[in-house]
Amino acid sequence: MTAAGLMRQYQVVGRKAGTETNPNPEAYRMVIFAPNPVAAKSKFWYFMRQFRKMKKATGEILDCVEIIEKNARTVKNYGIWLRYDSRSGTHNMYREYRDLKLTGAVSQLYNEMAGRHRCRPRSIQVIRTATLGAGELNRPNGAQFATRKVRFPLPHRVDSAKRGQKALSDRTFTTVRPTTYFG
């Protein structure tokens, strides 16, 4: 599975195919992060082979629906518990991200794991996700933005070009560096 672009959240429901002895077998539901529904169904069968004695040839998918987040206009803190296979073994990990949507946070997770740990998307398994309050953050990177008095100052600014004018002066070249600090 490649994780190019934004990951999506799918709810996949499947079960073992009905037989004469068991015409209505038990159904299983999973919430899976994948780039498309085909990859979500594939991951469903991957996990079902691990947890139950069931595979794609002996089972059927009942439903595959994309879960869309309702409130995607406010920035939220997300905690993600995962497990991944590295070159030396299997590791458990907890990470925190700030994003508008859970799918955006999971996309950040896949990108960061690829950059920091050289981890392939196929070896990452998201165990659990949670929306965190400001007091529940453990990592300092996310906690610095979760205060009430957070400010984003602009210390060094360059005047942008106005219509029909050059950016900083009427000449293209000058002997003086531009002033960017308006303290």
Side-chain angles (χ1 to χ4, degrees):
M1 178 192 81
T2 60
L6 190 68
M7 297 293 277
R8 298 169 185 269
Q9 188 177 13
Y10 292 96
Q11 176 181 290
V12 183
V13 181
R15 67 176 187 175
K16 205 167 196 172
T19 59
E20 292 179 5
T21 57
N22 190 7
N24 194 12
E26 189 177 7
Y28 297 95
R29 178 174 61 91
M30 276 188 210
V31 175
I32 292 175
F33 293 97
N36 54 47
V38 175
K41 292 174 190 175
S42 176
K43 275 181 126 177
F44 174 80
W45 290 121
Y46 170 78
F47 289 123
M48 287 309 292
R49 277 195 309 272
Q50 289 182 340
F51 298 140
R52 298 279 181 262
K53 224 173 169 180
M54 190 187 316
K55 58 183 184 177
K56 186 179 178 183
T58 61
E60 60 186 357
I61 297 282
L62 301 176
D63 193 22
C64 181
V65 192
E66 183 178 355
I67 299 172
I68 297 168
E69 197 157 340
K70 299 254 191 299
N71 185 12
R73 286 191 257 178
T74 58
V75 177
K76 293 173 280 299
N77 303 309
Y78 293 103
I80 302 175
W81 287 261
L82 68 133
R83 138 184 213 225
Y84 76 99
D85 295 324
S86 70
R87 295 181 181 122
S88 59
T90 304
H91 311 284
N92 293 321
M93 192 178 278
Y94 167 74
R95 304 199 77 82
E96 292 176 353
Y97 297 98
R98 281 176 64 82
D99 208 297
L100 294 171
K101 299 183 195 175
L102 179 59
T103 53
V106 172
S107 298
Q108 284 185 50
L109 166 81
Y110 274 86
N111 290 336
E112 189 177 13
M113 291 299 291
R116 288 185 192 267
H117 301 281
R118 302 294 183 262
C119 188
R120 308 292 182 258
R122 65 179 171 266
S123 64
I124 298 174
Q125 299 174 8
V126 176
I127 298 170
R128 186 167 87 100
T129 61
T131 305
L132 305 175
E136 299 171 323
L137 293 170
N138 297 329
R139 306 290 189 262
N141 189 30
Q144 68 181 341
F145 297 110
T147 60
R148 288 190 178 274
K149 297 181 179 180
V150 65
R151 294 173 63 211
F152 300 99
L154 301 170
H156 294 283
R157 296 186 292 282
V158 176
D159 289 338
S160 61
K162 298 181 181 75
R163 190 180 301 235
Q165 294 179 350
K166 293 188 176 62
L168 292 172
S169 66
D170 58 344
R171 290 175 288 175
T172 304
F173 300 104
T174 180
T175 58
V176 183
R177 288 177 180 263
T179 304
T180 61
Y181 184 73
F182 305 103

